[in-house]
Amino acid sequence: MTRPITLTLTRPDDWHVHLRDGIVLQDVVPHTAAQFARAIVMPNLKPPVVTIAMAAAYRERIIAAIPATMRFEPLMTLYLTDNTSPDEIRRAVDSGFVHGVKLYPAGATTNSDAGVTDIQRCMRTLEAMQDTGLPLLIHGEVTEHSVDIFDREAVFIDRILQPLRKSLPALRVVFEHITTKDAADYVRDAEGDMAATITAHHLMYNRNAIFQGGIRPHYYCLPVLKREPHRQALVAAAISGNPRFFLGTDSAPHPKGLKEHACGCAGCYTALHAMELYAEVFEQAAALDKLEGFASFFGADFYRLPRNTTQGTLQQHEWVIPSELTLGDTALVPLDAGRILRWKFSG
Ligand code: NCD
Ligand code: ZN
């Protein structure tokens, strides 16, 4: 009998995750903590995390939901609004636990109504971020309904991102959950301190997945899945070994009933099996040797944090993704529910 293959790698981090709040923290935090040493926690709560005091309190609630057997560090973010002050940025830097500020164009995605209506209103605050080196994490889509939903990321690069980076060339930027060749090319070639996170689902699927034999709400996320050449460009970026591209799951728990709905929520839940999904993508691209840099090194380097010193293992071992998980008093459907995975990760 041949022994199953085991890969050992430095424990990975998730540089973009949604954990929500309240009782559901007990259901989702253990999934992320089982795989990742640290995670950049998104601030799009209701109400959004707009002050250091709110981030500190949210951080404590997350820490309270970490099982005693696990080690996990939540890395907090602030939600940028038209009214975020430069002083709040300085307090964020001084806090030691806030590692970025998230820009949601108002109306772009889940709980983004309080987001930025016009980036010009934030210039003094963004200057403070440039001066202090605090990264700006960007949901890169324009929100105009006149722009086709599949074009909103590419249009954002031209209309918002390029001008912004021209006026603040030393601002450190993460282009979150990129979905297009346009974004991958832009990040690869941009001058200055620029990086991007890539989700497992955008590496695995193109937009056909949303319509395979009927409408499939669990494959609907924002930015929406794109055409196959875009997926291929993302895989090429992820396996390139370029440190500008690193892991961010964008795992986003929504109750089953609000996904399978006449107006279903956007978001894919991958926290349970993220490393297994990424491993499949890298294996299929014959690039498993590039997974450690992408998952465990490049994000920490960008955020100027130490790389993890403990390890995790990926074992060739088949298991079935559960059809449902618990989310408070309701159910949560993980991405690819019911499918057999080829790898099992222990962090
Ligand atoms: C995220 C969520 O549910 O909070 N949804 C998603 O589709 N990715 C928000 C976001 O990151 O856009
Ligand atoms: Zn997100």
Side-chain angles (χ1 to χ4, degrees):
M1 214 175 95
T2 52
R3 288 242 314 272
I5 295 173
T6 302
L7 293 173
T8 303
L9 68 163
T10 300
R11 203 162 173 230
D13 303 301
D14 183 352
W15 299 100
H16 183 133
V17 73
H18 299 269
L19 299 176
R20 312 300 188 214
D21 204 355
I23 53 162
V24 306
L25 286 174
Q26 290 165 31
D27 299 314
V28 302
V29 170
H31 294 154
T32 292
Q35 298 224 330
F36 299 105
R38 299 170 289 198
I40 286 277
V41 180
M42 288 295 134
N44 61 333
L45 303 182
K46 288 184 233 172
V49 180
V50 292
T51 63
I52 297 305
M54 291 173 88
Y58 183 34
R59 179 170 174 270
E60 291 305 319
R61 295 194 295 277
I62 294 167
I63 289 171
I66 303 170
T69 52
M70 295 183 190
R71 289 180 67 90
F72 173 69
E73 188 185 355
L75 308 172
M76 309 311 291
T77 58
L78 288 186
Y79 184 113
L80 186 69
T81 72
D82 292 353
N83 302 315
T84 307
S85 69
D87 281 347
E88 203 65 45
I89 299 306
R90 287 184 200 105
R91 280 194 286 274
V93 172
D94 291 343
S95 78
F97 58 81
V98 172
H99 296 270
V101 176
K102 181 73 187 279
L103 162 62
Y104 290 101
T109 188
T110 308
N111 300 343
S112 63
D113 295 347
V116 172
T117 61
D118 179 353
I119 196 128
Q120 289 308 323
R121 300 201 169 140
C122 302
M123 286 319 272
R124 280 183 51 246
T125 302
L126 294 172
E127 273 166 28
M129 293 178 64
Q130 173 171 258
D131 293 346
T132 55
L134 189 66
L136 179 69
L137 320 182
I138 299 185
H139 183 113
E141 288 190 288
V142 294
T143 53
E144 287 93 330
H145 289 215
S146 56
V147 179
D148 191 283
I149 189 167
F150 293 100
D151 297 334
R152 285 179 193 170
E153 184 173 278
V155 172
F156 182 89
I157 297 171
D158 292 344
R159 283 198 203 158
I160 314 283
L161 189 56
Q162 305 229 48
L164 171 67
R165 299 198 66 251
K166 207 167 210 164
S167 42
L168 296 171
L171 181 65
R172 312 187 67 236
V173 173
V174 184
F175 198 158
E176 297 292 339
H177 43 52
I178 58 168
T179 65
T180 55
K181 182 174 190 312
D182 312 63
D185 289 350
Y186 176 77
V187 170
R188 185 194 59 205
D189 299 336
E191 284 175 31
D193 233 346
M194 177 86 213
T197 53
I198 309 182
T199 78
H201 43 284
H202 289 102
L203 292 171
M204 294 163 64
Y205 291 110
N206 65 40
R207 64 192 194 177
N208 286 343
I210 311 166
F211 307 104
Q212 194 84 49
I215 188 110
R216 296 199 178 246
H218 298 292
Y219 294 87
Y220 172 59
C221 66
L222 287 171
V224 72
L225 295 170
K226 305 296 192 300
R227 285 177 183 275
E228 177 62 9
H230 293 295
R231 187 194 70 80
Q232 289 174 7
L234 298 178
V235 172
I239 68 168
S240 67
N242 182 335
R244 290 186 170 200
F245 299 102
F246 46 81
L247 184 156
T249 63
D250 196 20
S251 179
H254 289 280
K256 177 180 178 179
L258 294 183
K259 291 284 298 170
E260 300 173 7
H261 191 274
C263 185
C265 295
C268 298
Y269 192 72
T270 54
L272 177 77
H273 49 327
M275 283 303 292
E276 287 87 342
L277 298 175
Y278 283 108
E280 283 187 354
V281 170
F282 278 67
E283 182 184 29
Q284 204 154 50
L288 268 174
D289 60 317
K290 294 294 201 305
L291 182 59
E292 188 179 37
F294 177 80
S296 314
F297 296 159
F298 303 153
D301 296 350
F302 180 85
Y303 277 93
R304 298 174 175 164
L305 292 168
R307 293 180 179 181
N308 296 315
T309 50
T310 56
Q311 305 201 301
T313 53
L314 269 169
Q315 242 202 1
Q316 250 182 14
H317 168 83
E318 292 196 347
W319 62 288
V320 181
I321 303 169
S323 55
E324 281 185 12
L325 305 164
T326 301
L327 188 69
D329 54 8
T330 165
L332 167 63
V333 178
L335 188 78
D336 279 359
R339 182 167 76 78
I340 297 170
L341 287 167
R342 290 174 41 73
W343 295 93
K344 181 82 190 124
F345 182 70
S346 30

